[in-house]
Amino acid sequence: MKVLNELYSVMKTYHMYNADSISAQSKLKEAEKQEEKQIGKSVKQEDRQTPRSPDSSSNVRIEEKHVRRSSVKKIEKMKEKRQAKYTENKLKAIKARNEYLLALEATNASVFKYYIHDLSDLIDCCDLGYHASLNRALRTFLSAELNLEQSKHEGLDAIENAVENLDATSDKQRLMEMYNNVFCPPMKFEFQPHMGDMASQLCAQQPVQSELVQRCQQLQSRLSTLKIENEEVKKTMEATLQTIQDIVTVEDFDVSDCFQYSNSMESVKSTVSETFMSKPSIAKRRANQQETEQFYFTVGGFSGS
């Protein structure tokens, strides 16, 4: 939402400066027309004058000529001011349009990254350990049932096949395909021209060329820094992920030792409570797992931002 608000603000700035540029251009054209009209009017009046006029009339014509020249000079000054104003507004409009195009490209890249990469990473963060934990729980159940009652082999074999087919990657892919309207990126934001301004490329004319070069150098420097930071975060995430995977994939689902004395359920409960669940390593491993998972989510959240 913040990115979209910034893009909307940049677009409004571009529209405002472009409107000012168009208005200044219109005023400049109006001044040029007034200048042409005044010059044409002066020429016609001078052509109508005759050199045989009396002295008094001659003085009047000289005064009228002086007034016309003064009017022409005023129009010329007004034209120069409007020309300078148009040049200034045109330069502002070009800079604003360049800024808008850069913001547009950055916004599209951010949206693409979110839907193509970040959503998948977020699902991985939330889903991490679920399939491994489910695998261990079901295998524990299978080991107990196989030792308790051999007659249930056919049903237990079906459950075991289901456990063997657990696949986090395919399940995630199936989820994203089932709700593709949520996980597919939207259409790119297109450049919206304003009042006939159809230029949709960055303008590298001389007034803004040095500024663009400086901006490009700054962006390249920033991208290099971000690349190094992302590589370090990626290495940390991969190492943490491997640690969590090692924790959650421990093959401790075999409980055959619980049935070494009796196949009764009471014996199972007693043996489990005394041996399996009372092991000090269980509590320690769970504490380490929780701490590692918290660190992984922290690093993952930093990477996603």
Side-chain angles (χ1 to χ4, degrees), residues 3-126:
V3 175
L4 294 179
N5 290 335
E6 291 177 353
L7 177 63
Y8 180 71
S9 176
V10 173
M11 183 183 69
K12 286 180 61 178
T13 302
Y14 155 64
H15 287 178
M16 179 184 67
Y17 282 130
N18 193 62
D20 291 343
S21 176
I22 293 174
S23 177
Q25 185 182 24
S26 177
K27 291 180 180 180
L28 175 61
K29 290 181 179 179
E30 182 182 352
E32 290 174 349
K33 289 180 180 179
Q34 291 181 3
E35 182 183 34
E36 293 174 358
K37 183 179 179 181
Q38 185 65 33
I39 293 174
K41 184 178 179 180
S42 299
V43 171
K44 289 181 180 180
Q45 289 181 354
E46 289 177 359
D47 291 340
R48 288 197 299 266
Q49 294 174 358
T50 58
R52 297 178 182 179
S53 300
D55 294 339
S56 59
S57 299
S58 178
N59 291 334
V60 172
R61 285 193 296 271
I62 291 173
E63 290 178 0
E64 291 177 352
K65 187 175 182 180
H66 178 72
V67 171
R68 288 194 300 271
R69 289 181 178 177
S70 177
S71 178
V72 170
K73 288 182 179 180
K74 289 181 180 179
I75 294 175
E76 288 177 351
K77 289 182 179 180
M78 180 180 65
K79 176 187 173 183
E80 290 175 357
K81 290 182 180 180
R82 292 186 176 181
Q83 178 66 51
K85 188 66 175 179
Y86 168 69
T87 303
E88 179 185 356
N89 289 342
K90 184 65 177 177
L91 182 60
K92 289 181 179 180
I94 291 174
K95 290 182 178 180
R97 185 179 62 212
N98 288 343
E99 199 68 27
Y100 174 40
L101 289 170
L102 289 172
L104 195 66
E105 188 65 22
T107 301
N108 286 328
S110 298
V111 173
F112 179 84
K113 178 180 179 295
Y114 174 77
Y115 280 93
I116 298 302
H117 300 289
D118 294 346
L119 278 179
S120 178
D121 293 340
L122 288 172
I123 292 175
D124 289 338
C125 289
C126 296

Side-chain angles (χ1 to χ4, degrees), residues 186-277:
M187 297 178 63
K188 288 186 176 181
F189 293 100
E190 299 293 339
F191 174 72
Q192 301 296 325
H194 182 254
M195 297 184 70
D197 181 15
M198 300 306 295
S200 60
Q201 301 293 331
L202 292 177
C203 180
Q205 295 178 2
Q206 189 57 39
V208 295
Q209 183 177 12
S210 59
E211 182 179 344
L212 282 177
V213 172
Q214 183 180 3
R215 184 71 180 274
C216 179
Q217 292 173 351
Q218 292 174 350
L219 290 175
Q220 288 177 344
S221 176
R222 180 58 178 160
L223 286 174
S224 300
T225 303
L226 289 176
K227 182 178 180 181
I228 295 174
E229 293 176 355
N230 287 336
E231 288 176 353
E232 293 297 325
V233 172
K234 182 180 180 182
K235 291 179 182 179
T236 304
M237 286 185 63
E238 290 177 350
T240 309
L241 176 62
Q242 185 60 47
T243 301
I244 296 176
Q245 288 177 340
D246 293 339
I247 294 175
V248 300
T249 55
V250 176
E251 295 184 356
D252 59 350
F253 46 81
D254 187 2
V255 294
S256 58
D257 293 339
C258 299
F259 297 87
Q260 57 184 341
Y261 299 109
S262 173
N263 289 337
S264 66
M265 186 58 74
E266 292 297 327
S267 176
V268 172
K269 292 180 180 179
S270 176
T271 307
V272 168
S273 61
E274 293 176 359
T275 59
F276 183 76
M277 297 302 295

Side-chain angles (χ1 to χ4, degrees), residues 115 176-185:
Y115 280 93
M176 298 181 72
E177 291 175 355
M178 185 179 299
Y179 300 99
N180 58 353
N181 58 328
V182 176
F183 297 106
C184 287

